[in-house]
Amino acid sequence: MSTSITINGHPVPLPDDPRVSLLDFLREHLDLTGTKKGCDQGACGACTVLLDGEQRILSCLALAVQYQGRAITSVEGLAAGGALHPLQQAFIEHDGFQCGYCTPGQLCSALGMEAELRRGVPSYVTEDLAAESIGCSDDEVRERMSGNLCRCGAYNGIVAAVKEHHVHLHTSAAAREAS
Ligand code: FES
Ligand code: FES
């Protein structure tokens, strides 16, 4: 069985100590300090990373060894080829942050949220459970991102950025289908 974990596309050996949280593994062992420790008890979302590119998990509540053989993406893995991820760009354009402490978690969480919309997973505020697709309304974004707190209160910018990224994804998909 593999004794490694893939972090941002690179396989790395798991820690010898099985008690190391995924968050501490990223920050203290791999020096990937983009993922933030806010509460360290599952309440703030600052430590959110992605499992297999689309499932959001709280790395403070996870053990690194739990994800043996799996792929984890942290904020450091979002930009590609020297270019910011379109969602990162949208956060800049819409002032989706002030101090930036919550931003890595917000970014990973928003990408996980987008994947949930794609899979048609309803939220508490989804009105039409029989609809073919779930829209990306303000209410949906606020509900689905409610696990990510922002002490600076940049929520309006965050919602605007997430919605713009959603539109960007659908515009790109439509352009690909038309070509
Ligand atoms: S640091 Fe993990 S939820 Fe707050
Ligand atoms: S931008 Fe400061 S906590 Fe969110």
Side-chain angles (χ1 to χ4, degrees):
M1 190 185 287
S2 162
T3 53
S4 69
I5 181 172
T6 300
I7 305 291
N8 298 330
H10 304 289
V12 294
L14 281 163
D16 293 332
D17 187 341
R19 298 168 298 179
V20 175
S21 72
L22 181 57
L23 176 57
D24 285 344
F25 183 57
L26 291 170
R27 291 182 55 85
E28 311 297 337
H29 294 224
L30 303 180
D31 225 9
L32 293 171
T33 53
T35 305
K36 297 294 186 267
K37 183 180 283 191
C39 63
D40 209 19
Q41 56 181 9
C44 74
C47 66
T48 308
V49 295
L50 291 167
L51 172 65
D52 297 333
E54 60 172 43
Q55 185 185 335
R56 44 189 169 170
I57 53 176
L58 297 173
S59 61
C60 71
L61 296 185
L63 296 172
V65 293
Q66 274 178 268
Y67 297 100
Q68 179 173 332
R70 308 289 297 275
I72 298 293
T73 305
S74 67
V75 68
E76 289 91 346
L78 299 185
L84 289 177
H85 188 286
L87 180 61
Q88 291 175 305
Q89 197 59 49
F91 264 65
I92 292 172
E93 281 160 18
H94 290 278
D95 287 333
F97 55 86
Q98 288 180 35
C99 75
Y101 196 82
C102 71
T103 311
Q106 303 278 3
L107 291 164
C108 289
S109 190
L111 293 172
M113 187 211 88
E114 186 61 46
E116 286 164 17
L117 286 177
R118 251 195 327 274
R119 294 198 303 273
V121 179
S123 78
Y124 180 67
V125 300
T126 303
E127 286 179 7
D128 184 358
L129 297 181
E132 277 194 11
S133 65
I134 301 171
C136 189
S137 65
D138 282 23
D139 284 351
E140 284 286 357
V141 176
R142 287 181 187 280
E143 168 62 20
R144 290 170 188 270
M145 296 290 291
S146 59
N148 289 81
L149 306 183
C150 174
R151 291 285 299 268
C152 298
Y155 294 113
N156 288 343
I158 292 168
V159 172
V162 171
K163 288 179 72 177
E164 182 185 297
H165 178 248
H166 179 80
V167 171
H168 165 83
L169 283 179
H170 284 257
T171 311
S172 308
R176 274 198 304 277
E177 274 173 26
S179 64

